[in-house]
Structures are given as structure tokens and as C-alpha cells.
Amino acid sequence: MTDPNEDEVRPELAELRARLHATTDAGRPEAVAKRRKTGQRTARENIADLVDAGSFVEYGGLAIAAQRRRHSVEDLVRISPADGIVCGVGAVNGALVGEERARTMVLAYDYTVFAGTQGGMGHKKLDRMLSLAASWRLPIVLFAEGGGGRPNDTDMPLVAGLDTPSFLAFAALSGVAPRVGIVSGRCFAGNAALLGCSDVIIATEGSNIGMGGPAMIEGGGLGTFKPEDVGPVDVQSKNGVVDIRVRDEEEAVAVAKKYLSYFQGPVSAWTCGDQTALRNALPERRRRAYKIRPILETLADTGSVLELRRDFGRSLVTALVRIEGHPFGVVANDPFHLGGALDADAADKAARFFQLCDAFGLPILSLCDTPGFMVGPQAETTALVRHVSRMFVAAGSLSVPFFTVVLRKGYGLGAQAMSGGHFHASFFTVAWPTGEFGAMNLEGAVRLAMRRELEAIEDPALREQAFQATVAEAYQRGKAINMASLLEMDAVIDPAETRAWISRGWKSVPREPREPRARRVVDCW
């Protein structure tokens, strides 16, 4: 219904409307035009794409930069709307999970305002929002593009601003509520510090992430660099900083919504692929590599797999999935890299993923096919002993259920780590008929145990024949069926029944953790 007095707007309301209009994209055509030149969206466009239509309410939108000694209020309204950070609450995925589970806080640095730098009023606003997030356990999506601290906020009585609580406040939300960090373009210094505290980092092509930008690097006497030389996304994906690499901001927002959905709970509608295809998923030759991701795609609900840190620790896949609508975390060895062996990076990747799942109550499914931990002089230069031990330490504090399915190889301490610590630590440990087990890989074990006997055989052909015969005997002894007959694991199953086992396992455990849940911190690494 139209207000009959719409033309008779009171002055104070007209003033408010004018101030609010100055914060919108429509009120800032020049700033929007600059974003278009870089092929990027505005902060408000990203927020509009993220939240459900009509659900976003903004906090602190009338803030302006603390520079009244340098500029008039009128100029600051024009050049520093919201002091460069748009904050508010709204709903994400409401149609999928319902209004209660959709509640989300959004924090978006605005690069069109002083290059997204962190101003005094912006920090004050940020601290207010983080306090609300802590009190009400609100998930947070942070758009972190920006250049760090702003040195020219003359209204703030400070020397270095080292008493700024924002970074600790954001870090203290670890394990309290999911935190999604998104970066497009340049993200340096303070903005990168916030981003690095996030549970997941989504970065677009062309992004740069660094604890210091070019000015800080040069000021420290470390040389002169272009922004694009500092922490490019290709580097930050391979070293594990970036969890998910995407094409652009549109895809980043879509992935953020998908990521959040796993922590918002189950969904009722789902489909899955033909599970009988799993019976032929592994090659008949036991030493031949195969692709693990199609197996995971078949096991999970259709379209529900979201892989994290794909370019880092490549012998291990970590992914969020759904099975019959329920969210799970999955760890799976990739035989195409190191034969599925766990090196330092893969172990770090697994341990942090265990923490993430445990912090927010996601059950963990392990698809094990590993010859064990990586060994050798070169591997030990990576501090392997400490890194792989993180898997045992992280598993030792899990309160969520853990389910293990051995697809093929289950050797040594690496297989124990892949099953939550040992084969009876999981709610169930089962194997496909292709499963094979031992304290170490069969060929290596035979060469070690039979060294003298094999060396005594002079004829190379006869020596190889004896070796292969002994390997065959060891394989028969370590077959899944024999393992299960000695109760070292729970069952050998038809691969087509894997989903049924997972579903029944999930339905057989209580929804509450086994012990009172203290806050579970998720390591940044």
C-alpha cells in the first residue's frame, strides 16, 4: 500500500535516506565503475548474492572514516561509506535448511574505500559484530579483500594501535561457529590475519594473500615488489593456505553457501548413483593405481562433494559430503600420489580436518588405501615424526563417530592413523574384498624377512620366482577375509553395500557427542 503522505517526508527522514543512499552502489557510480574495470563485484553485490533476498540487515552503515580533522563530514560521507566494512546479519540457504539454521553474519571489506584498509571506526564496528557472533554462535562469512591497517585516521588518539582486540576476538570464535573467508584481489596485513584465522579460505584466480603488502615489504628493507608478486593464489593453493580455489567472486559465493550448508545440518532431498558400480571400481591388478574421486562421487549423494585443499598434501583427499542428506567429513587416500602414502603435508591436512569436523559435530568417514606413512631420509627432513603424529593426537580427542572402509591397502601405522588411531577405534572398520593388510607393504616385508634366503639363490629367475611365491603366500595371509576371521576388523562387505553400512553406522550412534563438548579449537594449520 502506498503511503498517502509519501511526498511529505519529514526532514530528518529525508536526511537519513540521503545518508543511506550514499552508502549504496547506486549512490556511488564512480566507485562501481572502478570495480567493473577490474572485473570484480562490489561488496554489496557479493552480500546480495550470498544472503537470501530481503534478509540482510546492516549494522553500522552510517559510520565514516575517523578523519574529521582532515576532511569535512560531507566529503567523508562520499569517500568512506560504512568506513570500508559492510556488516550485518541475514539468512543463507534458508530454503534448504530452514530459517533457524540459516542465520549468518556477514563482514565485507569494501575495496572501493581506501583499498579496503582497516580504519578505526571499522575496527570498532567489527568488534561489536564479533561480540554478537560469540554470544549467539553466529556463523560468519568474511570478505577479506583489503590492504590492512589504515595509518591516516587522524581522529584516533593512538600511536601504533596494538591494543586492537579484533584479531583475538575473531580467533576466539574458532570452534564456536563456522567461519568462511573469501578473498578476491589483494589481501594483505591485517585483512590477511583475519582471513588466516578462518576455518576455510576461498580464493579467486588472480588473488594475492600476504602478511605484508609491497609497502610493508619495501619498508622492511626486503626489496621492491609488485602486489601480484606477493602470495599469488597458485602459491597459496599448493602450500595449503587456500582451501578452495575458484574462478571468480560469483563462484566463491556459491562455494561459500555450499560449504556453510554442511554445518547447517541435514537436508531431506537427495539422490545417489548406482552403488553396484563400486564392485568394479578397483582394477584387478592389485598394484595398479586408480582414481579415488569417482568412487567418492558415487558413494556420496549426487553433487554433494566439496573438496578442501586439493592442491596440498595430494596423497590424501579431504572433502565434505552428504550421505542420505546427512553431512560427513571424508578422508581418502589417493593412490595416484605417493601410492597413497601419508607424508607430512597429508598428515597435517588430515589432522586439521579431524579438528574441523569434531568442532562442529560432523561424523568422519575414512576410505583407506595406504601403504603407510612416508619413510626415508628425505621424508625425515620435513619433521615427519611430528607431523604424522598429529593424526593420532587429533584422533585421540575426537568425540564424533569415525567410520573406516578399507578399499585396498591397509598397512602399518599409516592405516591405523587412517582409521582413527587403530582398527577398533572406529565405530566400525570394514573392508572391501580387495583389502590387504600387514605391518608393512607385502613386497617390502618379504624382501626384509627373506633377504638371506633370497640372496642364497644364485639364479635370478629362480630368485624372482621364490620371491613372488612368498609374496603370494603373504597376500593370502593378509587378505581381508582372513583379517576378519581373526577379528582384527569387523567385516568384509560387498562394495555396493558401503553406503548402507555408513548410513546404518550413523543411525546407530547418538546425535550428541559422547562426552560434554568443550570448545574445540580448529588450528589455523
Side-chain angles (χ1 to χ4, degrees), residues 98-118:
E99 190 68 26
E100 165 63 22
R101 291 185 284 162
R103 59 198 184 93
T104 304
M105 177 176 288
V106 185
L107 311 171
Y109 281 97
D110 184 349
Y111 200 78
T112 68
V113 178
F114 303 137
T117 49
Q118 298 173 333

Side-chain angles (χ1 to χ4, degrees), residues 211-225:
M211 286 311 301
M216 184 178 292
I217 295 170
E218 185 174 0
L222 300 175
T224 302
F225 298 90

Side-chain angles (χ1 to χ4, degrees), residues 211-267:
M211 286 311 301
M216 184 178 292
I217 295 170
E218 185 174 0
L222 300 175
T224 302
F225 298 90
K226 298 177 181 178
E228 54 268 28
D229 295 331
V230 182
V233 69
D234 189 54
V235 169
Q236 302 288 31
S237 295
K238 292 177 181 177
N239 68 14
V241 168
V242 170
D243 293 278
I244 307 173
R245 183 173 173 172
V246 296
R247 180 182 60 257
D248 53 23
E249 289 165 297
E250 182 179 359
E251 186 179 359
V253 169
V255 169
K257 293 169 75 169
K258 185 173 184 178
Y259 176 87
L260 272 181
S261 73
Y262 300 98
F263 301 93
Q264 293 171 323
V267 298

